Amino acid sequence: ARLIYATEYLWGTECLLNLYIVVTYASRYVTQKEEALAWIERQTEINWRFQHIYSLVGKNVNRILFVDNPDPADGEPLTRLRRYNSRQNIIKALVSHPRDVIPPFTHAMMKKAQERMEATLAEVKNAEDAITQLEAKAAEATNKEAMEREMKEAKERKKKAEEAYKQEMKNIQE
């Protein structure tokens, strides 16, 4: 149910082309491709959940990554090397991901968050620009008291804009 929620409601079906299945503690299947394929076939026959997950990756065996990740505390032989090789296999799969054919996944919600942040960041920049201009004027001005008052107001606007930016970041993270 969580996977369906994530793929259909949270991320949307556009994410599926960037989805991989990672099977952990699969030392036997990391190096033995034929056994791995047989395991996948068996799982699709006996496990409806796996069958559903497998369909999400287009029933593409190249999008199933087998990982040999023994617990270092167990004292199994060559643990560090096995974990290193598994990490390398994952990196190789991600590097060979066809980015030219499959666009990176960007959810509409992330686009909205980016737009909101850009607007808030623009406010901060405008306030900084106003302060810079006022500082330049203050250096030349004869009425220092009025300039200092304007400077103080500009700094307050900047502080409010920065606080709005921080609040926006907090809202987005929640």
Side-chain angles (χ1 to χ4, degrees):
R2 289 183 214 139
L3 180 63
I4 292 170
Y5 173 77
T7 56
E8 292 182 17
Y9 300 104
L10 183 61
W11 297 330
T13 55
E14 302 87 29
C15 76
L16 296 180
L17 294 174
N18 291 301
L19 187 67
Y20 284 82
I21 298 171
V22 178
V23 181
T24 59
Y25 295 98
S27 56
R28 195 163 101 194
Y29 306 123
V30 169
T31 57
Q32 299 176 15
K33 183 80 169 171
E34 291 303 318
E35 283 194 41
L37 295 174
W39 182 87
I40 293 168
E41 186 64 34
R42 266 193 322 278
Q43 293 305 308
T44 57
E45 292 171 1
I46 63 172
N47 187 332
W48 67 268
R49 288 183 180 100
F50 182 84
Q51 189 175 33
H52 174 71
I53 294 169
Y54 189 45
S55 70
L56 291 176
V57 296
K59 297 183 179 182
N60 182 345
V61 296
N62 295 320
R63 290 179 44 205
I64 297 180
L65 306 176
F66 291 97
V67 176
D68 182 14
N69 56 337
D71 186 348
D74 288 346
E76 290 187 40
L78 304 172
T79 298
R80 292 178 76 186
L81 178 63
R82 290 164 52 196
R83 293 172 67 89
Y84 173 80
N85 288 338
S86 289
R87 284 192 301 271
Q88 291 302 106
N89 287 339
I90 291 171
I91 297 293
K92 187 167 50 171
L94 295 176
V95 166
S96 65
H97 184 75
R99 289 180 298 279
D100 53 336
V101 178
I102 301 171
F105 172 67
T106 307
H107 193 278
M109 184 185 307
M110 292 307 296
K111 288 180 183 175
K112 286 180 185 175
Q114 182 180 8
E115 290 168 2
R116 288 170 54 183
M117 293 311 300
E118 286 173 356
T120 313
L121 224 68
E123 288 178 34
V124 172
K125 172 116 176 65
N126 289 340
E128 287 173 348
D129 291 345
I131 290 171
T132 303
Q133 289 174 357
L134 289 170
E135 285 173 342
K137 283 183 183 179
E140 300 171 1
T142 55
N143 187 353
K144 298 256 184 197
E145 197 173 293
M147 291 310 297
E148 287 175 3
R149 191 172 44 251
E150 282 187 58
M151 181 73 76
K152 183 178 177 183
E153 291 170 2
K155 286 181 180 180
E156 287 175 11
R157 284 194 306 272
K158 180 184 176 202
K159 183 178 178 181
K160 286 180 182 178
E162 287 172 338
E163 289 172 0
Y165 176 81
K166 288 177 186 175
Q167 184 62 40
E168 198 64 47
M169 285 295 288
K170 186 177 177 183
N171 291 343
I172 288 171
Q173 291 173 350
E174 291 174 353

